[in-house]
Amino acid sequence: MLLTILPGLTVAEAAENAAADEKGNSKSATVLPEMTVTADSEKAAAQTATEKYKLPAVTESVTKEKLEDTVNVMNTEDAIKYLPNILVRKRYIGDKEMPVSMRTSGTGSSARSLIYADGILLSSLLGNNNGMTGSPRWNMVSPSEIERVDVMYGPFSAAYGGNSIGGVIDITTRMPEKFEAGGGVQSAWQEYDVYGHTDTYDSQQYTANLGSRHGDFSWRFDVSHLDAHSQPISYSYLPTSSGAGGVAVTGAVGDVDRSGTQRIFAIGEGNIRHTVQDNFKWKLAYDITPTLKASYTLGLWQNDESGGFNSYLRNATTGAPVNSGLINFGGRNYNLNSGPSFASNDYQQMHWSHGMALKSNTGGIFDWELTGSVINYGQDEQRAPTVAPNQADAGGAGRITSLKDTGWHTVDAKGIWRPDSAWGPHHVSFGYHHDLYELNNQQYNTSNWLYGGKGSLFTNSQGKTETNAVWLQDAWTFDPAWTLTLGGRLESWNAFDGTNTGSNGRTINQSNRSDLRFSPKASLAWKPTDSWKFTGSLAQAYRFPTVTELFQGSNVGSGGTANIVNPNPTLKPEEALSSELSGQYFLNEGSLRLSLFHEKVYDAIYSQTTFSPATNSTLSYAQNIDQISTYGWEFSGEHSNVGIQGLDLSGNVTWAHSRIDKNAALPSSVGKLQPRVPEWRASATATYHVTKDFTSSVSGRYSSQQYGQIDNSDVNPDTYTGTGSAFFVVDTRAKYQLTKQLTLSAGIDNITNEKYWIFHVFPQRTYIAELKFNY
């Protein structure tokens, strides 16, 4: 409810003046400036989860306005790439496997972060990996509907489970207050140069949104169509030499593998992705009362994707491409069919998502909310050949990998009670959480990998995990400058119905598992002045094994894309002890923050991946590492109008020392750096508002060297399966408001054309142009 007050003018005087005007009298009404008073319920509705539930974690945010000015957002996950100590493993536009790396966890530990949109879980806790089962469902949110993104670091709130060890990403979206319509066209062109082979890959995206509000009812519809081409994601190498003779070839490129000890030859590129994706999202909301709102979200994601290859090999006599059969290179004979070295693949996917919420926002003594989400893999098939390319082109034999009917559902009930007492106000929050994750992963033989039906069963992996939790937390302001937050979370976890069938036809019914753990939390905040705030936090958290870590065992892909995944049904839960001391200084137009953090994880679950050039495949398995310790510091700051009007600066830098303390399973890893957690990570953005219609920005991202193996044996980072030497990537963006409705934007990501690898080669210089319409 908004009240407009005219200071110094009574209601009677206002009525008298208005009447005098209507009669044509000389007395005229006095025009005074308006003052807007916002009701408590409206303030409560606009609060973030951190504000509403008084969560103690350090939080960094980015708003819709800043995103439009500084970030080339092609997909939703781009929104967080300049926030402190965050890396999204986005290999190409349209990538469907994009986990998040945070302070103390790498991109292979996707289950150590939680991602929400309006209270609905986007994280896929089916897996703890950088594959499809572990990557978040970013596509449930359209970039155009983002209002803000808040990142809470660490597991310091009882409101979130142990998967918040790294942190929580909370996306807030907007609903229309009146009729609105919009649309946009984006185009991107990416340069590519690896092993002396160059190309340009283009992508286009078309978006539209429509929405309105009619009294208490509001609705919004978003649709997008993406047609994207990626750089190669994998590479093929000469297999082990054989004694048979073959055709003489040229074109193989010498290279050093990630261990730095073996001379190998790259013979071609694989997984050159062509992705066609369609996203549809419907969102409905109804104000049951001024303080009680119900909402429903329906999402549909469709993906038609193919992966091709390009052979470097040429017949030494005719110059024709060679991708199969027996060859002779450098005086040695090889059989390209023994991998196979080259293979295509195809994905057909359709995923449904449902989100429901009922929220009370009175801002008074008590508020509550009930949210639920359902994700279902309605269709999810990968087809790949098991024969050489010359036979595959004709529709030869292959395998079909299915995840149909895989998915999960979640339910959360929360409440907050705000009593006053003689010793200061309390904010007592509490809740109940339930989730169930179900894996259905079958592989079938097929006589025709392109169009054939499912033949005999090759492998089967099935299982479920379930968590039920209750939590309680009290933020007690016992002095105007001091707030003590104490909380705890009790979690009951179960794993059941685990079944594995191998290619030999043998079936193993895995034993059911259950566990009960309690996680205490404590935080003390001191705000001596309006400019300073100091916070110290301690927390324990348990991250239970995911259903794929426990039960998934399969061959994924073939040739250069092959990944043999082995389950481990005996995994223990991770136990994290986390602490943080932070100081914040608030400026008139900005803020500065310094945080010291420490984390010790017992029984850390890590998926070890070993790559074999001889078979051109990888082997992955999950294991417990006895103890990993991480400590470091993080500095973050932002300020508007620095030196001159319109110049905004923001930046952050993090140093983290993360090492393996104990590991009985692999003693050679003790004392080594935790994989995919760099010692240094930083980003910075400079934005200049040249005029009210024109804005330009420059951003930089830096990371020191990472390792991919737990024994840090991958000493050569700048090759396929290496995890990257230090890299510094610079991005630019310019936005011009052509008219009230039309906006033209252009930018360049990786303007310096930095070439860096994190297992895969990452995008090189990419040009982006965008035209948006909003009514």
Side-chain angles (χ1 to χ4, degrees), residues 745-761:
S745 303
I748 306 174
D749 283 349
N750 195 357
I751 191 172
T752 58
N753 207 24
E754 182 87 355
K755 186 186 297 183
Y756 63 106
W757 306 72
I758 304 180
F759 197 96
H760 311 274
V761 65

Side-chain angles (χ1 to χ4, degrees), residues 209-370:
N209 62 273
L210 192 67
S212 188
R213 183 178 183 92
H214 311 279
D216 294 327
F217 175 71
S218 58
W219 59 275
R220 182 184 172 105
F221 174 67
D222 288 86
V223 61
S224 67
H225 175 78
L226 174 69
D227 191 327
H229 297 83
S230 81
Q231 81 277 10
I233 301 304
S234 62
Y235 295 85
S236 296
Y237 300 87
L238 280 177
T240 303
S241 60
S242 60
V247 61
V249 300
T250 62
V253 182
D255 193 20
V256 178
D257 72 5
R258 68 180 179 185
S259 69
T261 59
Q262 180 184 358
R263 191 72 179 175
I264 58 175
F265 289 89
I267 59 174
E269 304 159 340
N271 263 310
I272 306 172
R273 315 304 299 175
H274 178 208
T275 300
V276 178
Q277 295 180 5
D278 292 290
N279 276 298
F280 302 89
K281 182 176 179 182
W282 298 263
K283 188 173 180 181
L284 311 175
Y286 183 71
D287 295 342
I288 300 173
T289 71
T291 60
L292 182 62
K293 175 181 285 189
S295 62
Y296 171 69
T297 301
L298 172 64
L300 171 62
W301 175 72
Q302 293 179 313
N303 182 43
D304 183 354
E305 181 179 346
S306 60
F309 63 86
N310 172 45
S311 173
Y312 297 159
L313 301 179
R314 295 295 182 268
N315 186 301
T317 302
T318 66
V322 177
N323 55 41
S324 58
L326 304 177
I327 64 168
N328 181 284
F329 176 77
R332 291 177 176 266
N333 300 316
Y334 303 89
N335 183 359
L336 295 183
N337 295 342
S338 63
S341 295
F342 298 104
S344 300
N345 54 74
D346 181 78
Y347 280 92
Q348 293 289 329
Q349 297 170 297
M350 181 179 69
H351 295 180
W352 291 92
S353 60
H354 305 264
M356 298 73 69
L358 187 62
K359 297 184 180 183
S360 159
N361 287 299
T362 65
I365 191 70
F366 181 72
D367 275 312
W368 59 273
E369 63 182 76
L370 178 66

Side-chain angles (χ1 to χ4, degrees), residues 161-162 467-471 488-494 513-521 540-545 571-576 602-603:
T467 305
N468 291 281
V470 291
W471 59 274
R489 187 178 183 93
L490 181 65
E491 295 173 292
S492 173
W493 172 82
N494 296 281
R513 298 269 310 276
S514 62
D515 209 339
L516 181 69
R517 300 294 174 105
F518 177 73
S519 305
K521 321 281 183 178
Q540 185 178 38
Y542 292 93
R543 203 279 287 177
F544 296 101
L571 285 170
K572 304 173 185 176
E574 295 181 328
E575 178 186 358
Y602 302 96
D603 295 317

Side-chain angles (χ1 to χ4, degrees), residues 235-237 239 339-342 558-562 611-618 720:
Y235 295 85
S236 296
Y237 300 87
S341 295
F342 298 104
S558 62
T561 67
F611 177 75
S612 171
T615 61
N616 213 33
S617 61
T618 58
Y720 178 50

Side-chain angles (χ1 to χ4, degrees), residues 222 444 450 591:
D222 288 86
Y444 300 91
L450 289 170
S591 64

